[in-house]
Amino acid sequence: MPFLHTPTPFTMDKLAPFHHSPPLLQNHKPKPIRTHSPPSLSVALTTTSSLETTPRPTHVPNLGSLNGFTADSNTLDSVKAMHAQMIKKGNKWNSDSMAKHLITSYLELGDCKSAAVVFFVGFARNYVMWNNFLEEFKSFGGDPSEVLEVFKELHCEGVVFDSRVISVVLKICAGVMNLWLGLEVHASLIKRGFELDVYVRCALMNFYGRCWCVESANQVFHEPRNLDDLLWNEAILVNLKNERFVKALELFREMQFLTSKVNATTVLKILQACSKKGALNEGKQIHGYVLKLAMESNLSICNSLIIMYSRNGKIKLASRVFDSMKDHSLSSWNSIISSYSTLGYLNDAWNLFCKMERSGTKPDIITWNSILSGNAIVSSYKEVLIILRRMQAAGFRPNPRSITSVLQAVIEPGLLNFGKEIHAYVIRNGLDYDAYVGTSLLDMYVKNDCLTSSQAIFDNMKNKNIVAWNSLISGYSFKGHFDHAKRLLNRMKEEGIKPDLITWNSLVAGYSMRGHTKEALALIHDIKISGLTPNVVSWTALISGCSQNGNYSESIEAFVQMQEEGIKPNSATISSLLRTCGGLSLLQKGKEIHCLSIRKSFIEDLYVATALIDTYSKSGDLESAHKVFWSAEKTLASWNCMIMGFAINGCGREVIALLDGMQRAGILPDAITFTALLSGCKNSGLVEEGWKCFDMMSNDYGIKPTIEHYSCMADLLGRAGYLDEAWDFIQTMPIKPDASVWGAMLGSCRIHGNIEFAEIAAKELFKLEPYNSANYVLMLSLYAMSNRWEDVDRIKDLMDTRGIKPRQVWSWIQIDQRVHLFSAGGIPHQDEGEIYYELYQLVSELKKFGYLPDVNCVYQNIDEEEKVKMLLSHTEKLAITYGLIKTSSAPIRVIKNTRICSDCHTAAKLISLVRSREIFLRDGVRFHHFKAGKCSCNDYW
């Protein structure tokens, strides 16, 4: 009976139950087989031997030697004629070799269909024979779909097929994704009441799992039949292939309760899934099962255990598995060496490499690539190139994997010439065909800001994978070339490549990092329109970009929207949020996120721990920052963060002490470390220590000072009152002074009232930063302090001519989860009357302790009384006063966007004494901790 030609989808629960019956169509009399069409001829053979693999003939075999049959020529017609003779004398054909030669003849002459017909009816088939046939069939250019067509034709002719044929047909359907034929086969089996043996059920499960849905495969598995071990294993494998890890483990546990046995292949696949999913506990349970059934002698299983433990970060457990193995294959050595290398234990990896050679096992290209890739991640490019040369000296020619590792090592800025050398090597050795090599080259040029070269490589790539598209789009996006990025996105769509989440997320990150939050949010909406769902990476890209760009409030708003979407944060999200809290000095919110990090085990993440140190430091809570620092794993980044924390809080002596501790711990300082050290020295007036650190950079560590270091030294000398020395230092700098250096000089002149140097610095700043209002305001203040009102008017006229308006000054304080903003010239606070009443009372108390308003802080040419009134309206005074009104004993925390004036600084010290309150004030330069009439800056700011 022919199969249905217009099948409709059906679900497994609608299928009729299977009934016991003989093989398919056995109860039906076969139709007479037509003999006029050789491709559909059947061969009635009986044989008990299996098909052995034989060398493929290099010519069409001469069938004339087979049992007396003769052929005139080795053409397709002669082979068909010989085939007809063999059918007529079928009783003489009792050898597998005849059918095998006939199949090969048809294949070599290009008649794949006839070859399939012979095989379908010419053997007592087994699965080994089928696999051999399919491999030979495809090697001659045959399409497996042709085998299915022959199957359908023979079925229509009434040929009887047993379960082995049905199983293979279903396997082919799954392989070529022939959804409907597989359904037709299953429907026919049900209709005929065909008894499904274990092989057919396994084939059906594989077919449904690959072509339809894993639920249908599981329904086949759960049909009321005796569950063979083979079925259990197939069910687990089907669920693993479909990423149903939990279901696969559930089936695995059920197997153990029913005393069914998992085979080695299934154990391997489960361990691979544990590696991929980061399922350490489940992997340990599988390890226990391996030991229980004495499967530890299986080298493949042991190798998978090594990889599973290493990918879960448990290198010691991986090493124990390796050491417990009686025999080590090349794959075993590669697994353990790769594990150590990937996790950064490079010395251990090299020791294992040497031990491997001593054991008599020769390293292969995979071994060398493992060493290369590990060093590419954590080592310098010089070490990677040394390893590459050693590898070549050992007789191994770098392959695409080797090249991608080397390119990864030269991605960092400043190594473009090395990258070009690798590029030349790729071209000379014809490795540019490889998509991964091309993508790595493209990425290398992107990271070195050579987008033109990246575009050229991209345009010349024959096989552009989505990684190449994403790399170039992200390069344009991160550099702010959004028009190029969008054009590339449109071109990508036109060429039929659908953008994935990585594509969209790179655009989101680029826009948010450049301050285009609205556009980034619009892209989140575009992701949804495209049929994708924004994931935690999408939202974290938005949150992180806003935070890095200083748009802290927008960062928090994005996090709120992320929660409303039901997306759970990951460690990267938490790190970005902590940076936001640090940027706004939101101490309480930072503590809440700290608690969340502990509950969700994010605290173990190095980036989260470092971000916590940063948040507490920028919120003035050095004690909490220090506790996190000492409880976390100490990396160079965490040392730098803690040093900078003490630096911005004016704790110069602690900064120097941390450097000593860092050196004792064997951590080498980098350029960022010395920036933090010099910042600590300048904020504490430690001139001698600053000079020592500056000289130490190049003399002891070979670090070339950058403009940041020169700026810190100029600031240190100037603030300390050594203006002449600061001036000489700037003049003798090997680097041309930039705005940060001249800004440091101008700020120092403002502190010490030196107009001569100030005018020189201002002249340079007005050229370098013509629209930075802060520089003009500093000169206004300096001239006002010296009563040079004509110069004040001249600076104001210059600002008007250039269209420059003074930066809006504001301070804010958080009371009961609400932020209260006080802005100069902005909307008055709703409790303004109460605040000024309290402030007048407070000033009266302060005067009893010697407070005198510093009218030099007002650069308007007005009388003294008006200047005193203006001092009362300074935003930091209003915020501190409001904190006194609304809180009882908790420390008052105020954030100000500009440098605190000397009058407010004096007032804050006295307020802390008179009202016995701690006041933390973070201004545009540093932190001030006022307590008992003193400030942590020691009046050095």
Side-chain angles (χ1 to χ4, degrees), residues 739-788:
S740 67
V741 176
W742 289 116
M745 189 65 184
L746 179 58
S748 300
C749 292
R750 162 66 178 78
I751 294 171
H752 299 288
N754 190 310
I755 293 180
E756 181 183 356
F757 282 136
E759 288 179 333
I760 297 173
K763 183 179 179 181
E764 296 294 330
L765 286 168
F766 292 166
K767 286 189 285 187
L768 294 169
E769 298 178 330
Y771 300 103
N772 186 349
S773 62
N775 299 323
Y776 298 90
V777 171
L778 276 174
M779 287 305 298
L780 285 173
S781 176
L782 189 57
Y783 284 135
M785 288 169 58
S786 304
N787 290 318
R788 292 175 55 168

Side-chain angles (χ1 to χ4, degrees), residues 252 256 262-264 266-268 271 283-298 300-302 304-305 321:
F252 176 79
Q256 295 181 73
V262 180
N263 62 36
T266 306
V267 172
L268 280 173
L271 285 172
K284 287 181 176 179
Q285 293 174 27
I286 305 300
H287 191 179
Y289 181 85
V290 169
L291 295 174
K292 180 180 177 181
L293 293 186
M295 299 174 74
E296 65 270 23
S297 60
N298 187 306
S300 297
I301 289 178
C302 288
S304 294
L305 281 168
V321 173

Side-chain angles (χ1 to χ4, degrees), residues 632-697:
E633 182 180 346
K634 293 169 188 60
T635 62
L636 175 61
S638 60
W639 280 99
N640 286 346
C641 192
M642 191 69 256
I643 292 172
M644 185 60 80
F646 278 115
I648 62 175
N649 282 276
C651 304
R653 297 296 177 188
E654 288 79 357
V655 164
I656 300 301
L658 273 176
L659 173 63
D660 295 337
M662 182 179 181
Q663 291 171 325
R664 287 194 300 271
I667 304 293
L668 294 176
D670 63 358
I672 298 174
T673 313
F674 283 100
T675 300
L677 289 168
L678 292 173
S679 296
C681 292
K682 78 174 184 179
N683 287 337
S684 301
L686 304 178
V687 177
E688 185 177 349
E689 290 80 356
W691 271 119
K692 286 182 180 178
C693 290
F694 186 79
D695 293 335
M696 188 190 301
M697 286 180 63

Side-chain angles (χ1 to χ4, degrees), residues 532-818:
L532 299 172
T533 302
N535 60 5
V536 64
V537 179
S538 313
W539 287 102
T540 300
L542 178 58
I543 294 167
S544 177
C546 292
S547 179
Q548 292 178 33
N549 201 53
N551 298 325
Y552 301 120
S553 59
E554 293 174 350
S555 177
I556 293 175
E557 290 172 5
F559 178 66
V560 172
Q561 290 187 50
M562 172 182 166
Q563 290 179 306
E564 291 173 351
E565 295 277 344
I567 305 296
K568 294 182 179 179
N570 59 15
S571 58
T573 319
I574 296 299
S575 298
S576 299
L577 277 175
L578 285 169
R579 281 198 297 269
T580 297
C581 293
L584 295 173
S585 292
L586 296 174
L587 179 61
Q588 188 57 40
K589 187 64 65 177
K591 288 182 177 180
E592 292 174 9
I593 297 175
H594 189 178
C595 293
L596 175 66
S597 301
I598 294 172
R599 290 199 307 271
K600 299 294 184 180
S601 298
F602 292 143
I603 193 66
E604 297 178 5
D605 186 276
L606 294 178
Y607 294 101
V608 172
T610 304
L612 271 170
I613 296 169
D614 182 63
T615 298
Y616 281 126
S617 297
K618 290 180 177 177
S619 299
D621 191 351
L622 283 175
E623 183 178 354
S624 296
H626 210 233
K627 285 181 180 178
V628 173
F629 172 72
W630 285 113
S631 63
E633 182 180 346
K634 293 169 188 60
T635 62
L636 175 61
S638 60
W639 280 99
N640 286 346
C641 192
M642 191 69 256
I643 292 172
M644 185 60 80
F646 278 115
I648 62 175
N649 282 276
C651 304
R653 297 296 177 188
E654 288 79 357
V655 164
I656 300 301
L658 273 176
L659 173 63
D660 295 337
M662 182 179 181
Q663 291 171 325
R664 287 194 300 271
I667 304 293
L668 294 176
D670 63 358
I672 298 174
T673 313
F674 283 100
T675 300
L677 289 168
L678 292 173
S679 296
C681 292
K682 78 174 184 179
N683 287 337
S684 301
L686 304 178
V687 177
E688 185 177 349
E689 290 80 356
W691 271 119
K692 286 182 180 178
C693 290
F694 186 79
D695 293 335
M696 188 190 301
M697 286 180 63
S698 53
N699 295 339
D700 296 349
Y701 296 100
I703 299 173
K704 187 177 181 180
T706 64
I707 194 67
E708 288 83 6
H709 303 112
Y710 286 107
S711 176
C712 285
M713 281 303 299
D715 203 4
L716 168 62
L717 295 171
R719 286 196 198 189
Y722 301 104
L723 291 174
D724 290 329
E725 191 172 348
W727 173 255
D728 292 338
F729 180 82
I730 293 172
Q731 294 301 303
T732 57
M733 281 172 51
I735 304 175
K736 185 178 180 180
D738 67 352
S740 67
V741 176
W742 289 116
M745 189 65 184
L746 179 58
S748 300
C749 292
R750 162 66 178 78
I751 294 171
H752 299 288
N754 190 310
I755 293 180
E756 181 183 356
F757 282 136
E759 288 179 333
I760 297 173
K763 183 179 179 181
E764 296 294 330
L765 286 168
F766 292 166
K767 286 189 285 187
L768 294 169
E769 298 178 330
Y771 300 103
N772 186 349
S773 62
N775 299 323
Y776 298 90
V777 171
L778 276 174
M779 287 305 298
L780 285 173
S781 176
L782 189 57
Y783 284 135
M785 288 169 58
S786 304
N787 290 318
R788 292 175 55 168
W789 300 111
E790 290 183 1
D791 290 315
V792 169
D793 292 336
R794 179 175 56 83
I795 296 295
K796 286 182 177 180
D797 291 340
L798 181 60
M799 292 177 69
D800 291 338
T801 302
R802 295 183 175 181
I804 301 170
K805 294 183 179 180
R807 182 182 179 186
Q808 187 178 20
V809 179
W810 50 257
S811 298
W812 61 264
I813 184 172
Q814 185 178 7
I815 306 291
D816 297 330
Q817 300 297 316
R818 182 181 176 186

Side-chain angles (χ1 to χ4, degrees), residues 834-848:
E834 182 181 2
I835 294 171
Y836 272 106
Y837 177 80
E838 177 66 22
L839 183 56
Y840 274 108
Q841 300 295 321
L842 186 60
V843 170
S844 297
E845 294 181 52
L846 298 183
K847 288 181 177 179
K848 296 177 182 178

Side-chain angles (χ1 to χ4, degrees), residues 49 103 113 147 186 224 237 255 282 324 337 374 418 429 451 507 570 624 631 657 740 794 810 826 829 867 901:
S49 63
I103 289 169
K113 189 173 183 181
V147 178
H186 193 184
L237 292 176
M255 280 190 74
E282 291 80 359
S324 69
I337 290 173
F418 289 101
N429 290 273
L451 291 176
L507 288 168
N570 59 15
S624 296
S631 63
S740 67
R794 179 175 56 83
W810 50 257
H829 192 275
K867 288 184 178 181
C901 72

Side-chain angles (χ1 to χ4, degrees), residues 28 34 138 164 231 408 514 542 574 791 885 920:
H28 296 266
R34 293 171 293 188
K138 287 186 284 188
R164 288 172 292 186
L231 279 173
Q408 186 178 3
R514 296 283 171 170
L542 178 58
I574 296 299
D791 290 315
I885 295 172
F920 290 91

